[in-house]
Amino acid sequence: MQFKNLALAASVVATAAAAPAADSCAAPASSPSSTPAAGAPQYFGVIAIHSGSGVQNAGFSASKGSLIAGLQNKETSCQETSFYINDGVLNIYDDTARPQEIYVDRSGMGQGKIGYTVGVEPAPKNAERKGWTIKDGHLLFDGSSPIACPGSDGYSIWASAGVANPGGNSDCVGIAAHVVETKEPKPCWAN
């Protein structure tokens, strides 16, 4: 089982490193306007780490307004999602002028919901955008690691908000969101 997980992780890393550039002649319109923190990659993929669980070594993807680890729906354009952080805001890489920004809702209603908006779409009422960092090779929101909850399309990713099984889920586990540098990010047009 462990060899299978290691092989999957190596495959994700190799895929991320080998992904073709969208357009090597022009800088992407949604690229970060500031330099990333020292030691942090400019563009990156994310792999869930929780030894002994089904989410171990599952890559993060954007799908249907949420982040999913180990996405089972192969029809999404964001099977391999690249991210970047700009001024504390986590973004989904896209090679158009349309921003795709991640938000977190840690209110009593949101319970740590992580979602994203596309273009000029506003974030939900209690959403927070700033607070994303990379520390020791892991993606954190407000200093905390995310939670992964099993579902039909993979594992939904939630921010830590003091709820063990947010959104009516069950069997959720805390994960380390390991960052894997992507030299040539693949554009994602999230749906």
Side-chain angles (χ1 to χ4, degrees):
M1 182 69 171
Q2 291 297 337
F3 290 116
K4 178 181 171 189
N5 290 340
L6 289 173
L8 176 61
S11 172
V12 169
V13 171
T15 301
D23 183 358
S24 60
C25 297
S30 62
S31 65
S33 61
S34 61
T35 306
Q42 183 170 2
Y43 298 105
F44 55 90
V46 182
I47 297 173
I49 305 295
H50 184 102
S51 184
S53 74
V55 74
Q56 174 73 6
N57 294 326
F60 282 28
S61 300
S63 179
K64 299 178 184 173
S66 297
L67 294 183
I68 307 292
L71 181 66
Q72 300 300 309
N73 180 358
K74 306 297 184 196
E75 296 175 14
T76 181
S77 63
C78 299
Q79 196 67 34
E80 298 171 26
T81 304
S82 296
F83 301 94
Y84 66 91
I85 296 175
N86 185 12
D87 194 25
V89 177
L90 183 62
N91 295 268
I92 299 168
Y93 173 75
D94 184 357
D95 60 353
T96 70
R98 179 185 72 163
Q100 298 179 107
E101 296 180 325
I102 304 292
Y103 68 83
V104 174
D105 182 352
R106 295 187 288 180
S107 70
M109 292 292 292
Q111 299 184 346
K113 164 73 175 153
I114 296 177
Y116 57 87
T117 57
V118 178
V120 297
E121 178 184 1
K125 178 182 176 184
N126 297 311
E128 304 169 73
R129 292 203 191 270
K130 289 190 174 189
W132 293 97
T133 58
I134 295 173
K135 183 175 181 184
D136 299 326
H138 295 95
L139 182 65
L140 306 172
F141 182 77
D142 195 22
S144 297
S145 294
I147 297 169
C149 302
S152 60
D153 278 344
Y155 285 77
S156 59
I157 304 301
W158 295 73
S160 178
V163 180
N165 290 296
N169 289 292
S170 58
D171 301 321
C172 300
V173 295
I175 60 170
H178 181 66
V179 169
V180 179
E181 183 174 13
T182 302
K183 297 272 188 204
E184 298 178 359
K186 184 175 181 177
C188 167
W189 302 282
N191 53 3

